[in-house]
Amino acid sequence: MSAPRQEGAPLRAGVVGLGWAGQQHMDAYTARPDVDLVAIAGLEDEPRARLGDLYGLSDAGLFRGYEEMIAQADLDVISVATPTALHAPVALAALAAGVHVLSEKPLAEDAERGAAMVEAARSADRVLDVSFNHRRRGDVKALKKLVESGALGEIYYAKAGWLRRSGIPGLGTWFTRKSLAGGGPLMDIGVHMLDMALHLMGEPAAEAVSASTYAKFGPLGRGGSVDRPTVAAGEDGTVPFEVEDLSTAFVRLSGGATLLLEASWASYIKSDELYVVLYGSEGGAVLGSSGSWSESRLEVHTELHGVPAELFPALGPDGRHGEAVDDFLAKVLAPDWSDFHGEDALTRARVVDAAYRSAEEQREIRLDRPTRQA
């Protein structure tokens, strides 16, 4: 177990994973005066040494494995930025040691493993959080305020999607192996859109899911990102590809609302796009851009004094990973952790699981509403 920290002492943070996402967490921790980044872990020797120099870590703060880091670094908080199949092993080890956990999305490779993480957080009474950084976009935050104000009325239908023209993140790498990633774009980028939609709609419970998945590009070695590595094709001209490259799901929500969700790594579209569309009884909203996944943009369609009106709200800055880390630390510093055991992230995992099962069995899957433990 981590040693009790003296009041006012900085939190001791560690990061598992040396890639881009892990470095976002390292940057966020080092930007905080009340946090000391004391350890990083990863198997790659050169990046580990380089990042150790960059963040001013001694050799004692550099680890190949997460087990040694958790056992030796006396951590208060840990970020998990590894391939998806390692989220649960790292989180379970950290929670057992009394360390609060912030994981990259998704929670785990399936809901069963995610549920084990949530139960471990409850048992240890430690924070378990997931870095859904895209809900910290400026357009998402502005739209959330509008919804909460009642300006759009009852949100009864939503559409959300993230589509790429050619963006499979590493053909033949861990991203495209089901045992390591859990799934394809629905698990990778679709879960961001699911999180954003449920967050904006006020967290309605998912009651049923009907979905389909397709793999038309990846098995042929097509659709890969130009900036990501590709495993060489075999003699038959194919590369290892065990997941979908496009998914679509229709989700029935509590209160009668519905959500149409789509995600793709590769498809013949004009350009990449990310969007959320909300249909409300008093107004509608379109978030995102049809020409860019990264451009914050928000339109609101309503009436003012009986006259149709199109509004373009002013947007604040994107918070991204830094804000996700800040929100996690705010939970850690709260006096009560009973509401922060990862239940919201588990709801997303259950919807994704149901979508994959629906696609496999070609039928609608009903979800049992989980009971919240005290």
Side-chain angles (χ1 to χ4, degrees):
M1 299 288 290
S2 59
R5 199 69 53 220
Q6 292 184 354
E7 185 176 354
L11 295 172
R12 293 172 60 85
V15 176
V16 184
L18 307 177
W20 178 85
Q23 292 173 51
Q24 302 306 299
H25 290 252
M26 296 174 200
D27 287 343
Y29 286 132
T30 55
R32 297 267 307 215
D34 56 348
V35 179
D36 287 338
L37 178 66
V38 298
I40 60 175
L43 297 177
E44 304 89 346
D45 293 337
E46 189 280 327
R48 187 176 62 251
R50 175 175 52 79
L51 291 171
D53 289 340
L54 178 63
Y55 293 103
L57 300 176
S58 68
D59 289 344
L62 307 181
F63 298 88
R64 282 183 56 82
Y66 67 88
E67 302 96 335
E68 297 92 338
M69 187 175 83
I70 292 170
Q72 299 174 29
D74 187 24
L75 300 175
D76 297 299
V77 298
I78 190 171
S79 282
V80 185
T82 64
T84 303
L86 284 174
H87 290 184
V90 179
L92 293 173
L95 291 166
V99 180
H100 302 279
V101 175
L102 175 60
S103 175
E104 271 299 303
K105 57 77 195 167
L107 179 62
E109 70 271 29
D110 56 45
E112 182 179 3
R113 294 291 276 165
M117 294 165 67
V118 170
E119 181 55 38
R122 288 172 178 158
S123 297
D125 192 23
R126 291 297 184 270
V127 174
L128 171 63
D129 203 3
V130 172
S131 176
F132 284 119
N133 54 294
H134 283 279
R135 71 157 66 173
R136 278 83 182 182
R137 290 166 54 116
D139 47 9
V140 175
K141 290 185 287 187
L143 181 51
K144 179 64 173 174
K145 288 182 179 179
L146 281 172
V147 171
E148 290 180 338
S149 75
L152 302 186
E154 175 196 359
I155 307 301
Y156 56 89
Y157 178 50
K159 297 188 291 186
W162 189 341
L163 307 175
R164 294 175 180 169
R165 173 151 185 172
S166 185
I168 298 175
L171 278 162
T173 65
W174 72 266
F175 278 102
T176 63
R177 297 178 184 269
K178 186 171 178 59
S179 62
L180 296 177
L186 177 59
M187 184 74 77
D188 178 35
I189 55 179
V191 73
H192 273 305
M193 307 316 300
L194 175 62
D195 175 71
M196 289 162 63
L198 294 180
H199 171 66
L200 288 167
M201 298 177 78
E203 299 297 335
E207 296 183 342
V209 181
S210 183
S212 293
T213 60
Y214 307 89
K216 302 298 184 182
F217 289 74
L220 302 178
R222 294 155 45 192
S225 297
V226 296
D227 59 343
R228 296 293 185 96
T230 300
V231 172
E235 293 182 359
D236 61 354
T238 65
V239 297
F241 197 87
E242 303 166 355
V243 297
E244 85 280 7
D245 49 36
L246 184 145
S247 64
T248 180
F250 181 74
V251 186
R252 297 187 184 277
L253 303 166
S254 59
T258 52
L259 166 65
L260 182 63
L261 177 71
E262 60 179 351
S264 77
W265 279 338
S267 52
Y268 286 126
I269 57 177
K270 183 177 180 179
S271 60
D272 294 0
E273 59 180 299
L274 178 153
Y275 67 89
V276 178
V277 184
L278 299 184
Y279 295 74
S281 58
E282 302 298 325
V286 180
L287 178 154
S289 169
S290 61
S292 171
W293 67 267
S294 60
E295 179 185 350
S296 289
R297 191 169 186 273
L298 178 60
E299 300 178 18
V300 176
H301 310 287
T302 186
E303 289 184 350
L304 295 177
H305 306 292
V307 179
E310 316 299 318
L311 309 178
F312 299 87
L315 305 180
D318 292 348
R320 304 298 174 94
H321 278 89
E323 199 166 289
V325 169
D326 286 344
D327 289 347
F328 165 62
L329 293 173
K331 295 173 182 177
V332 170
L333 295 171
D336 181 6
W337 301 321
S338 58
D339 289 333
F340 307 138
H341 295 149
E343 288 88 354
D344 282 353
L346 182 56
T347 65
R348 280 73 170 145
R350 287 182 169 135
V351 173
V352 170
D353 268 19
Y356 283 131
R357 183 180 168 195
S358 172
E360 182 178 357
E361 299 180 9
Q362 298 186 27
R363 65 183 181 91
E364 183 176 79
I365 302 297
R366 295 203 63 83
L367 287 84
D368 295 329
R369 187 171 298 186
T371 57
R372 188 178 182 90
Q373 298 184 11

